[in-house]
Amino acid sequence: MDDESARMDSKVSPALAEGRQAARKEQSMTLLQALRLYPKAVGWSVLLSSTLIMEGYDLALLSSMYASPVFNQKFGEQTAAGKWAVPASWQSGLSNGARCGEVIGLLINGLVSERLGYRKTMVCALATITAVIFLFFFAVNVHMLLAAEILAGIPWGVFQTLPTAYASEVCPVVLRPYLTTFINMCWVFGQFVAIGVNRGSISRDDQWAWRIPFGVQWVWPIPIMIGCLFAPESPWWHVRQGNLEGARRALLRLTSSNDPNFDPEETIAMIQHTNELEKSLSRGTTYWDCFKGTNLRRTEVVCIVWLVQTLCGQNLMGYFAYFCVQAGLPTVQSFNLSLGQYGLGVVGTIGSWFLMSYAGRRTIHISGLAILFVLLMITGSLSFAPEDNNAAKWAIGVMLIIFTFFYDISIGPVTYSLVSELSSTRLKAKTIVLARCLYNISNIVVNVLTNYQLNSTAWNWGARCAYFWAGTCLASLVWAFFRLPEPKGRTYEELDLLFERGVPARKFATTVVDPYEVEAAEVHEAHVDKY
């Protein structure tokens, strides 16, 4: 018995030892060490994440266009008061057309990326968006704009989830929060550029007032597509395909060869161990598997974390310029404030990187929701000031700028970190796709509500709509307190066991687990039972 047991241990223990060693090295790695070892991975992740600039750009551009007189005259209708405006029904149709296209793109990404890999899927999406931009630029009526929004939404759906999955897989634990939240930075930067371009074109009285902003979209896709052609695939994807040699080559392309302590075989062993552990806990990689066993809880958390982004009042940020105009501020000043809003949003996202190195994701998320709730209540209360009170109108704009800062230092970026860490690696692409689909579907509802709340030809709530979003923000806060776990500093293997054991969300940070000791004990018991 001893000889046979020793022979079996000699086959299992080295792999376990290598995987455990890699896991311990990864958890003890400092930020500076990770940057020295994974500089190429950081670069490739940043490249893929920059595709989100395009989505942020167009979504902010479209909503701010409703404050442009020339755009309204071209694509809108003349009201009884003699002003030109895009009706609330068409505003909702344009915004929701993009969301419908994104749902299609998300579902395509979940099916295609697991077969073709992240790199090839991204190249196809970039080629598609390059062609669709022609529809925006040469649009002659609102119907053509709607077609462009729907078709553009398909590659945007790919951009929404693929960079998140890629960033979470090509880098170690210490870098994940920075690279996944950088995605939010790209989204905010795209919005900032959109407002800047629109602000520069708003004074024009010809067709170029809206053609120039749409044409600027061609700046990004071709350079990014060329870069993606040379990007390495995720080692985790290669392991899931059973291609260990491909995983080894990809890992070497993602890391620096200057670190003598780095052993790629150990990292491959850890990836294999995590993959096998997840297969043993929940077999299968179909969409239906996201709702089985412990994956059901993980799917719930990831989906609602992303849903919270729409329920906390985020949509008011996208309609900032239009919101300010409806609140009574001049058009040009509304765009000036909007530039400040997104500039402060970039600062907030950078601040979140420092914040997440000290505080947990759960703490940041819950604190952020509490602050946003207070700000929305104040914004709604300011709407009761007399019509001739200009100070109150400016105060509303300032409150939304502060709202943007706290959103982009908490809820905005930390969501990308949470969804990438709390989903299992085998079902990561599909779980994130489901979450983003729910996010986009909720946005369809939210866009309709926001357009009718703000449009002077519809409900005309003005700033009082902040009360409505304060209520949904409070509901999100209650859910997060009881259901949102803390993944900070955990490897994927540890998170697998925490979910498998049903550890309550509030105890995730303090519960101690060792997946390698568990497996070693199971192997030992199997040997004893055999003899």
Side-chain angles (χ1 to χ4, degrees):
M1 180 182 75
D2 291 340
D3 291 340
E4 182 64 22
S5 177
R7 282 196 296 271
M8 292 187 70
D9 285 341
S10 66
K11 296 179 180 179
V12 177
S13 297
L16 283 176
E18 285 185 338
R20 175 185 288 177
Q21 182 69 11
R24 288 176 175 173
K25 284 182 179 179
E26 187 168 311
Q27 286 184 309
S28 63
M29 194 179 294
T30 66
L31 177 61
L32 187 58
Q33 288 173 333
L35 289 172
R36 287 174 177 170
L37 181 57
Y38 286 89
K40 300 174 187 176
V42 171
W44 291 119
S45 177
V46 166
L47 175 69
L48 267 68
S49 298
S50 61
T51 55
L52 267 297
I53 295 174
M54 285 179 281
E55 190 209 8
Y57 178 92
D58 188 80
L59 294 180
L61 180 67
L62 182 64
S63 57
S64 65
M65 281 285 193
Y66 300 143
S68 169
V70 178
F71 180 84
N72 285 328
Q73 189 168 356
K74 173 66 178 179
F75 297 101
E77 298 174 0
Q78 194 168 23
T79 64
K83 294 183 178 180
W84 289 88
V86 177
S89 57
W90 270 109
Q91 288 183 10
S92 299
L94 291 172
S95 300
N96 294 337
R99 297 302 181 187
C100 292
E102 285 170 356
V103 171
I104 297 171
L106 287 164
L107 295 174
I108 291 173
N109 178 50
L111 296 170
V112 173
S113 62
E114 277 301 313
R115 290 171 172 79
L116 298 182
Y118 298 140
R119 183 177 64 88
K120 292 180 180 178
T121 305
M122 181 61 80
V123 169
C124 293
L126 287 165
T128 302
I129 192 63
T130 303
V132 172
I133 294 172
F134 282 94
L135 280 176
F136 284 107
F137 189 78
F138 293 105
V140 294
N141 53 43
V142 71
H143 305 86
M144 196 168 175
L145 269 186
L146 177 60
E149 290 289 338
I150 295 173
L151 293 175
I154 297 174
W156 288 342
V158 176
F159 301 155
Q160 286 178 343
T161 55
L162 194 148
T164 306
Y166 186 83
S168 68
E169 291 187 2
V170 298
C171 289
V173 171
V174 68
L175 286 178
R176 282 178 200 153
Y178 299 99
L179 292 178
T180 52
T181 55
F182 177 77
I183 293 170
N184 188 76
M185 167 76 82
C186 293
W187 188 67
V188 174
F189 181 71
Q191 292 177 315
F192 179 79
V193 175
I195 298 300
V197 171
N198 214 3
R199 170 64 181 83
S201 305
I202 197 75
S203 58
R204 299 185 67 98
D205 57 2
D206 56 12
Q207 61 178 332
W208 297 104
W210 55 270
R211 285 195 193 273
I212 289 175
F214 282 136
V216 169
Q217 293 179 98
W218 272 309
V219 170
W220 291 285
I222 295 177
I224 298 175
M225 182 165 52
I226 293 172
C228 287
L229 289 171
F230 299 96
E233 191 52 77
S234 164
W236 292 79
W237 181 81
H238 281 299
V239 168
R240 290 194 290 271
Q241 302 300 312
N243 183 6
L244 297 185
E245 184 56 37
R248 190 173 293 105
R249 288 196 305 269
L251 186 60
L252 291 174
R253 289 192 61 197
L254 291 165
T255 54
S256 171
S257 58
N258 298 327
D259 191 338
N261 297 319
F262 175 68
D263 184 354
E265 300 303 326
E266 291 178 349
T267 303
I268 295 297
M270 181 186 68
I271 296 174
Q272 282 185 279
H273 181 265
T274 305
N275 189 56
E276 293 302 320
L277 177 63
E278 292 187 355
K279 285 169 66 176
S280 67
L281 295 177
S282 180
R283 296 188 177 277
T285 56
T286 65
Y287 278 109
W288 181 241
D289 290 302
C290 294
F291 302 97
K292 292 181 179 178
T294 57
N295 286 325
L296 176 61
R297 181 185 175 191
R298 302 178 84 153
T299 302
E300 175 230 326
V301 172
V302 172
C303 285
I304 298 186
V305 160
W306 228 325
L307 182 63
V308 165
Q309 279 197 333
T310 61
L311 296 180
C312 70
Q314 171 229 43
N315 222 43
L316 295 181
M317 292 160 36
Y319 285 82
F320 183 88
Y322 183 56
F323 182 93
C324 290
V325 169
Q326 297 304 104
L329 285 175
T331 300
V332 174
Q333 296 301 333
S334 297
F335 275 97
N336 289 340
L337 280 177
S338 195
L339 278 173
Q341 171 206 17
Y342 288 118
L344 201 57
V346 172
V347 174
T349 304
I350 295 174
S352 72
W353 298 343
F354 297 97
L355 193 59
M356 280 194 287
S357 63
Y358 297 102
R361 326 278 194 262
R362 170 185 163 87
T363 303
I364 296 171
H365 195 270
I366 291 176
S367 301
L369 284 172
I371 294 171
L372 296 185
F373 169 73
V374 174
L375 292 173
L376 286 168
M377 290 297 294
I378 295 173
T379 303
S381 300
L382 287 169
S383 66
F384 289 97
E387 185 66 29
D388 59 350
N389 190 334
N390 290 326
K393 295 175 183 177
W394 281 96
I396 289 172
V398 171
M399 292 307 301
L400 284 183
I401 290 176
I402 297 173
F403 180 97
T404 301
F405 173 77
F406 280 104
Y407 174 86
D408 283 315
I409 202 174
S410 58
I411 305 301
V414 81
T415 295
Y416 291 96
S417 180
L418 286 167
V419 299
S420 65
E421 292 180 304
L422 293 176
S423 52
S424 73
T425 60
R426 287 179 59 77
L427 290 168
K428 185 183 296 292
K430 290 182 173 61
T431 305
I432 294 177
V433 162
L434 288 172
R436 195 68 189 192
C437 278
L438 180 62
Y439 171 86
N440 286 331
I441 291 171
S442 70
N443 253 313
I444 293 174
V445 178
V446 168
N447 282 333
V448 172
L449 286 173
T450 306
N451 286 320
Y452 277 88
Q453 287 169 354
L454 295 179
N455 199 299
S456 57
T457 63
W459 301 343
N460 197 26
W461 286 4
R464 294 179 190 180
C465 69
Y467 280 137
F468 179 89
W469 301 113
T472 57
C473 184
L474 180 61
S476 302
L477 176 60
V478 173
W479 173 86
F481 181 79
F482 290 103
R483 297 294 292 170
L484 183 62
E486 176 55 72
K488 183 176 185 287
R490 297 288 193 178
T491 64
Y492 286 126
E493 295 160 307
E494 290 175 329
L495 290 171
D496 289 339
L497 287 181
L498 287 168
F499 277 108
E500 178 68 19
R501 294 176 181 179
V503 176
R506 285 172 287 174
K507 295 183 179 180
F508 255 58
T510 56
T511 303
V512 178
V513 291
D514 187 338
Y516 292 95
E517 286 186 2
V518 171
E519 183 162 332
E522 290 175 350
V523 170
H524 177 71
E525 289 175 5
H527 293 173
V528 173
D529 292 343
K530 181 176 181 178
Y531 294 97

